[in-house]
Amino acid sequence: MSWQAYVDDHLMCHISGGHTLTAAAIIGQDGQVWAQSGSFPEATLTEIANIVGGFEENSTLPQHGLFLGGVKYMVIQGDPGVVIRGKKGQGGVTVKKTNSALVFGIYDEPVTPGECNIVVERLGDYLVEQGI
């Protein structure tokens, strides 16, 4: 299966009520885009490096925020070293770290934070199980 199929079929899938995430991507920890939805923001290498660093030093992102495509998300919770969750207005972002990549899901209402978390973390857990 191609990386784009993972994004299209597993991240941008229909959630309850037929809703989907706003945007999604799988990006290598080196900042290289493996696959993304057409609506995913243009993330910079610095932003990706800061997110990767935030998994290692979990006080950085909560203090300064998670930036993605120039948009600042307030970091609200997560599982240190595994998942970062951010909020902005009625939407937010979930980032799951795998062995070599980051799985991103961005949502807006009516998708709930919990629905986004489930979709992103399920795929991330699968990739970790596969050694990716």
Side-chain angles (χ1 to χ4, degrees):
M1 180 181 290
S2 75
W3 290 115
Q4 191 61 49
Y6 281 105
V7 170
D8 296 341
D9 299 342
H10 298 283
L11 294 174
M12 297 300 291
C13 61
H14 289 284
I15 304 171
S16 65
H19 305 291
T20 63
L21 296 179
T22 304
I26 302 172
I27 299 177
Q29 291 183 27
D30 62 359
Q32 297 301 307
V33 176
W34 294 8
Q36 65 184 14
S37 65
S39 55
F40 195 78
E42 186 71 33
T44 67
L45 290 175
T46 301
E47 289 173 336
I48 299 302
N50 288 340
I51 294 168
V52 170
F55 278 104
E56 297 168 9
E57 175 55 56
N58 34 346
S59 65
T60 305
L61 292 178
Q63 289 177 4
H64 303 288
L66 181 154
F67 286 84
L68 188 61
V71 175
K72 181 179 180 181
Y73 294 88
M74 179 179 62
V75 175
I76 54 171
Q77 65 176 352
D79 187 0
V82 180
V83 176
I84 297 171
R85 298 181 185 107
K87 187 87 171 132
K88 179 171 175 41
Q90 299 301 312
V93 62
T94 301
V95 186
K96 169 73 175 177
K97 182 181 178 214
T98 71
N99 298 333
S100 55
L102 303 172
V103 179
F104 290 87
I106 298 174
Y107 67 93
D108 282 309
E109 283 190 330
V111 174
T112 67
E115 290 170 330
C116 181
N117 296 343
I118 289 169
V119 169
V120 171
E121 293 176 43
R122 184 182 309 149
L123 178 60
D125 289 342
Y126 172 76
L127 296 176
V128 168
E129 289 170 8
Q130 301 306 306
I132 299 169

